[in-house]
Amino acid sequence: MPVCDLDKRVPHGKKVLGIDVVVWWDRNENAWKVFDDACPHRLAPLSEGRIDQWGRLQCVYHGWCFNGSGDCKFIPQAPTDGPPIHTNKKACVAAYPTTMQNGIVWFWPNSDPQYKDVLAEKKPPYIPELDDPSYSGPMGNREIPYGYEVLIENLMDPAHVPYAHYGIMQTRQPKEKADREGGRPLDLSVEKLDINGFIAKQEWGRSKFLPPCVFYASPLAPLDQGNGAASSAETKKVSSAQRRILLIFICIPVSPGNSRLIWTFPRNFGIWIDKIVPRWMFHIGQNLILDSDLYLLHVELQCRIQRSESARSCIAVCCFCFSGNCCRNQAGCHISGCKNYARCSSYTIICSFKMVGLLYLQTVSLS
Ligand code: FES
Ligand SMILES: [Fe+2]
């Protein structure tokens, strides 16, 4: 979740990878915490609770209180002269390893103590421009009623833009238009492809996929040029050759058929605009774009589920497998041995852009 959309005064209920979690601000440790959204007493959602006057997370049902490690610190019904039953392990709530990076709260979706320090080694994907003060761009997020696999594929699919977003997004027009919208063959190529993702070149710039959830593009300059070093754009004018804008999309698998999108378009020019234009005004434009293909994609997914088409779900499961801990092979998919892989390939090869995804899957399966 983007921190800009989290209120420190209250707990927030979220779902990620099918896990219901509560996100809350622990003022004693000055850190965001992510717990199971179920009280160990009677499983009431902790996200309906409150932060008490000592900064603990309090369950709203019977008032049990928890510290930032998930330890139960107070059971109001327990006699003060009785045994300290709140110290019983069964009174603890599962806490996930959590970190804040690029203005986003990330957590490791396994609360087993063996992963307690996992985020010291395995960091979320880092985008330097998001911490660079010479860049500016509001962030937004939205719950989406179609799955992660449809969402990420849609973001990588430029062919739909002149049609699904007609009149909302501008696209380069062909010399001779065959229709009102100006759809045309698109020139796409893969410049780099390995276990860490891919960089693709398009006419207008480059796009980069950092599996499993970050996709971003830069229309104005190569993606690998920026090193994130802060320059003082506040005081220095950026020449047109130095102008950069990134289109950053972070796709979160919520549950089958549901996802969450975080977007931000940081740029190193015209940053004064963000100081006078409120964030909600940017959200209007972005949500208009999301709205214009939302119904198509929702119905597309429902249709595929009804027809038991497994091609996309194969991609999805494979993508989930990238992170090694997401689907936990519950769908029985192992990338190199996936029975649906051939179907997946034949489906994916239809579109040259989706070839990028196919090549990536193959690379991952070989490595
Ligand atoms: S269910 Fe949470 S205190 Fe009873
Ligand atoms: Fe779209």
Side-chain angles (χ1 to χ4, degrees), residues 1-16 19-26 31-38 45-51 57 68 93-100 103-107 143 260:
M1 275 300 291
V3 168
C4 58
D5 288 320
L6 292 172
D7 184 340
K8 288 182 174 176
R9 297 168 300 177
V10 292
H12 303 266
K14 297 286 164 196
K15 192 191 277 280
V16 179
I19 309 169
D20 287 302
V21 295
V22 53
V23 186
W24 65 285
W25 174 251
D26 178 6
W32 288 98
K33 302 287 174 171
V34 178
F35 288 2
D36 260 342
D37 194 12
L46 291 168
S47 54
E48 291 298 313
R50 67 181 188 102
I51 312 298
L57 178 62
V93 61
Y96 294 94
T98 305
T99 190
M100 213 271 284
I104 295 170
V105 177
W106 303 78
F107 75 99
E143 306 287 326
R260 187 177 306 115

Side-chain angles (χ1 to χ4, degrees), residues 290-365:
L290 288 172
D291 286 344
S292 54
D293 55 16
L294 184 143
Y295 182 67
L296 307 177
L297 300 172
H298 173 75
V299 174
E300 173 192 333
L301 182 63
Q302 300 309 311
C303 201
R304 286 192 173 276
I305 291 167
Q306 279 170 15
R307 293 183 186 188
S308 301
E309 285 276 346
S310 57
R312 286 191 189 207
S313 47
C314 173
I315 294 175
V317 172
C318 291
C319 287
F320 275 69
C321 287
F322 292 164
S323 58
N325 58 19
C326 302
C327 77
R328 298 185 184 96
N329 293 317
Q330 284 170 5
C333 173
H334 300 270
I335 288 179
S336 55
C338 176
K339 287 182 193 139
N340 291 319
Y341 196 68
R343 290 182 69 190
C344 175
S345 305
S346 60
Y347 171 76
T348 318
I349 212 161
I350 293 167
C351 165
S352 61
F353 195 74
K354 290 174 189 157
M355 274 282 282
V356 174
L358 171 64
L359 291 170
Y360 180 69
L361 288 176
Q362 287 173 334
T363 306
V364 172
S365 71

Side-chain angles (χ1 to χ4, degrees), residues 154-155 157 160-161 164-165 169 289-290 292-293 297:
N154 174 258
L155 295 171
D157 170 12
H160 80 283
V161 174
H165 306 303
M169 289 177 77
I289 295 169
L290 288 172
S292 54
D293 55 16
L297 300 172

Side-chain angles (χ1 to χ4, degrees), residues 59-123:
C59 178
V60 76
Y61 198 7
H62 306 94
W64 290 26
C65 293
F66 306 91
N67 70 5
S69 308
D71 302 327
C72 183
K73 302 309 282 182
F74 180 52
I75 296 180
Q77 297 78 17
T80 47
D81 55 354
I85 54 168
H86 65 276
T87 58
N88 189 306
K89 271 194 174 156
K90 288 185 179 169
C92 296
V93 61
Y96 294 94
T98 305
T99 190
M100 213 271 284
Q101 182 177 283
N102 283 152
I104 295 170
V105 177
W106 303 78
F107 75 99
W108 185 262
N110 193 324
S111 57
D112 191 297
Q114 66 174 302
Y115 298 111
K116 195 169 158 278
D117 300 317
V118 67
L119 290 172
E121 306 155 27
K122 293 179 187 270
K123 304 231 183 263

